[in-house]
Structure formats: C-alpha cells, structure tokens
Amino acid sequence: MRFKPLLFSACLLQAALVLTVSLHASPAEACSPPASPRYYYTLTQSFPADGASNVPLDTVVLIQWYAWQIPGTLEDVHVDVHNLLSVTVMDSDTGELAPGQVHRSWLGRPTGETWRPDAPLLPNRRYTFVATLKQQSGPRPEAAQGPTELRGSFSTGEQLSPPLELLGGLDVALESFETDKLNCTPGMCTCDKAGREMSTRARVRVPSVQGGSAIGAYWFELRVTDNTPYRFGETNQHLEHKVLWGIWGVDSSGEPTDTAFEMPRDEAKAGYTPCFSWRVHDPAGNVREGAPVCLKERVDPPGFAFGCSVARDARGAQGTAFLVLLGAMLTVWRVRRRPVV
C-alpha cells in the first residue's frame, strides 16, 4: 500500500482536534451528563429470611430493594438508596443494639445493601432487625407500591462461617476477533461506526469457591495490567502501568464460571504482555486473593482498514475516548491460548 501524504495530513489534523478538546475542554463542555430520572425506592426482601435459625455468627443482613421511576421528573443529583436506608439489629434478650455498618450495594446475587456486624454476634441468641427508608421528599407515586420498612428476626448458631477458599487457579485464553471501528467526533458523547477492525479478547474461567458467607453468590474482581501484576491495596500504580483496567461483577455460585471481555489497549498504541490479578469477595466482606497470571503472549494494537479514526477506549467503565493508531495496514492475529492452573 502506497503512503498518501494527503490522508496522513488529514489524520494529523483530526488528532490535533481531539487532543485539543481532551486537554482543554472542561468535562461539562466535552459531554455534560443529562439530568437523571427521579426514583422512589421500596424494599422487597431480606436475608436471612424472617425466622431463620442456626445463622452463622458473622452473618450479614442483606436488604433487597426496587427503584420506581417517577414519570415526568428529573433531578440533577441522583439520590442513591444507600443514602436513604438505615438498618438496626437488636439482641432480643437484652434489647441492646448490635453494632454494625450498612455497606453499599452488594453486586453478587442476590443484589442488595448489606448490614455487617462490627464483631461476631452472640451464639444461640435471637436477633430482630428493622430496615427503614428515610422519607423521600415529594408525593409518593401511585405506581410505586411496596413497603419502605422491613422487619424480621433470626436465631444464631454457635459457629462462624467457614473460611473462604479458592479451589484452583485462573484459566485464561486470548483470541482475536473482529469488532467495529469507531469514528468519534470531538466533544460528542457518541461515536459512529467506520468499518471493522481486529482486536483481542480474553476468555477467563474463574475457579470453584467454597466457604465464606452463606448468603447468595460470590463476586470475582479481575484487573488487567501490562507486564507486571496489579497489587491490591497499593495506591498510585497508574504511575508504573500504561494499562490498568478493572473488570467487575463476575458472579459465581461456587462452581467454575466463564466470562469474556475485550482486552484493554495501551493508549501509546504499543503492544504489551498482559497480567491478570484477581480475588473473590463474599457478602460478609471476606476476601481471598488468587495467584496472578502473567502471559507470555503479547497483545498488539488492533489492525485497521484503510483510513483514520478515533476509537473508544476499552476501559468502557470510564467512558474515555482516545486517539487510535494512525495507520493503514491490517494486522492478522493468531488465536492464542494458555491455560494456567
């Protein structure tokens, strides 16, 4: 393919426009988020169920809720259910409140807000709990039917939950696939399709899990970095990594579970060898970290059809647009697979 100076100049001009917007425009100027619909929350179910017995001493109280959209209303600041919910747990024998905290939504299954005790509860005791939503301003919509308060009780056993345990390692397979090439107008919130390109995706299997909290599923957290593993709990790692990406919400009932995602791209448009760091959570806040997996296979920049474009960053959770490699050569990718135990 011959080099075309006119096309190259056009790509450089487009790059300059994108960089000017991304470096100088305020977030509001670049893409102002619209006002969100107003919601009214009701409570639906609690775990442990009312009347449950032999509950572990480190149990959590999980409260499920439902959000009703109020037609024809908008609010500039979204009111989260976490800011409206209070949960109290009381020892029925003594009348004393059990100290604990309400944590933001548990993303496993069942989903909900979780109250966690600050210390293990007493054995062979009956506890009552009350979950209440603070009164929301404005009239209650007629369509928003459901309680704003839940009450229940449970009895503890004599044991803590068994330790959270991983039964195996992470299995990773890299493969090439064809995806849309996107042309993103600077300052806009949407991108237009501009043909097709080759990219890389990871197929990941998380291992079996046992123990931990008995409520609901487990939740795996995966992070992808370049060349060296991500270290959970340490800050400022973005200074040493060109690729730093978190994958959230891989649910598991305890059996091996598969997930797949497009590999993040190095914003410098260079290839890299990926490392996968991972750990599992349960609703009670127990965490178990697995051995990181660093592959020898290299993730290269995607191949392009003839032309120039601005593509979406693979870090979709951040919604950041970045300038893709200016080029005209289509790269042929080989399917790579390396199981790791």
Side-chain angles (χ1 to χ4, degrees):
M1 180 180 294
R2 291 192 307 161
F3 174 74
K4 297 192 175 182
L6 182 59
L7 175 63
F8 184 72
S9 300
C11 287
L12 288 180
L13 178 59
Q14 186 180 31
L17 289 173
V18 172
L19 292 176
T20 299
V21 171
S22 62
L23 293 176
H24 297 288
S26 68
E29 292 170 339
C31 179
S32 298
S36 62
R38 188 166 178 230
Y39 289 92
Y40 190 93
Y41 301 100
T42 55
L43 304 179
T44 61
Q45 195 172 6
S46 61
F47 298 89
D50 186 21
S53 60
N54 200 31
V55 172
L57 304 180
D58 55 347
T59 188
V60 301
V61 177
L62 187 143
I63 305 297
Q64 289 189 291
W65 49 271
Y66 188 84
W68 301 83
Q69 182 177 335
I70 301 178
T73 61
L74 295 175
E75 57 186 3
D76 294 331
V77 179
H78 175 68
V79 179
D80 192 276
V81 67
H82 179 79
N83 299 321
L84 302 173
L85 180 67
S86 65
V87 179
T88 57
V89 178
M90 184 179 67
D91 187 326
S92 296
D93 294 336
T94 65
E96 295 181 353
L97 294 179
Q101 306 292 327
V102 178
H103 292 256
R104 289 194 175 273
S105 292
W106 162 247
L107 298 181
R109 296 291 181 270
T111 299
E113 303 289 299
T114 56
W115 177 91
R116 298 176 188 168
D118 294 339
L121 302 176
L122 297 176
N124 301 315
R125 304 295 277 268
R126 180 174 177 269
Y127 286 88
T128 59
F129 61 87
V130 180
T132 306
L133 285 171
K134 299 175 185 177
Q135 182 64 43
Q136 293 177 255
S137 60
R140 174 174 176 163
E142 293 182 2
Q145 300 299 320
T148 57
E149 181 179 279
L150 284 179
R151 294 176 176 268
S153 66
F154 60 87
S155 299
T156 57
E158 298 182 345
Q159 304 293 326
L160 297 169
S161 300
L164 185 62
E165 186 178 1
L166 289 166
L167 304 179
L170 204 66
D171 183 65
V172 182
L174 297 183
E175 64 181 16
S176 61
F177 75 107
E178 190 178 50
T179 186
D180 290 329
K181 182 171 65 173
L182 301 178
N183 182 12
C184 302
T185 303
M188 302 299 292
C189 300
T190 59
C191 301
D192 298 324
K193 294 182 181 180
R196 304 285 286 174
E197 64 183 2
M198 300 302 294
S199 189
T200 302
R201 116 177 106 217
R203 294 195 177 275
V204 177
R205 168 166 287 193
V206 298
S208 300
V209 190
Q210 68 181 16
S213 173
I215 297 178
Y218 303 96
W219 177 44
F220 279 87
E221 173 187 353
L222 289 84
R223 290 185 178 268
V224 180
T225 53
D226 55 316
N227 307 320
T228 57
Y230 178 83
R231 299 180 301 278
F232 292 105
E234 294 189 21
T235 59
N236 297 324
Q237 293 189 59
H238 64 281
L239 300 177
E240 60 185 89
H241 290 293
K242 295 180 179 179
V243 174
L244 179 56
W245 191 34
I247 311 295
W248 300 83
V250 182
D251 293 320
S252 167
S253 62
E255 298 299 320
T257 305
D258 295 320
T259 188
F261 51 88
E262 183 178 355
M263 288 295 291
R265 303 174 185 178
D266 181 359
E267 293 185 6
K269 314 306 169 294
Y272 65 96
T273 54
C275 286
F276 298 78
S277 297
W278 58 290
R279 59 184 180 178
V280 64
H281 304 249
D282 72 7
N286 300 309
V287 180
R288 179 69 66 181
E289 185 174 338
V293 174
C294 291
L295 302 182
K296 294 181 180 179
E297 294 90 339
R298 187 177 180 85
V299 175
D300 294 314
F304 285 87
F306 182 71
C308 59
S309 69
V310 177
R312 181 182 60 229
D313 192 335
R315 296 177 231 187
Q318 298 178 4
T320 305
F322 70 95
L323 184 65
V324 296
L325 180 67
L326 303 178
M329 187 72 71
L330 180 66
T331 304
V332 178
W333 292 54
R334 293 180 300 130
V335 175
R336 306 173 177 91
R337 180 174 181 84
R338 182 191 178 188
V340 181
V341 179

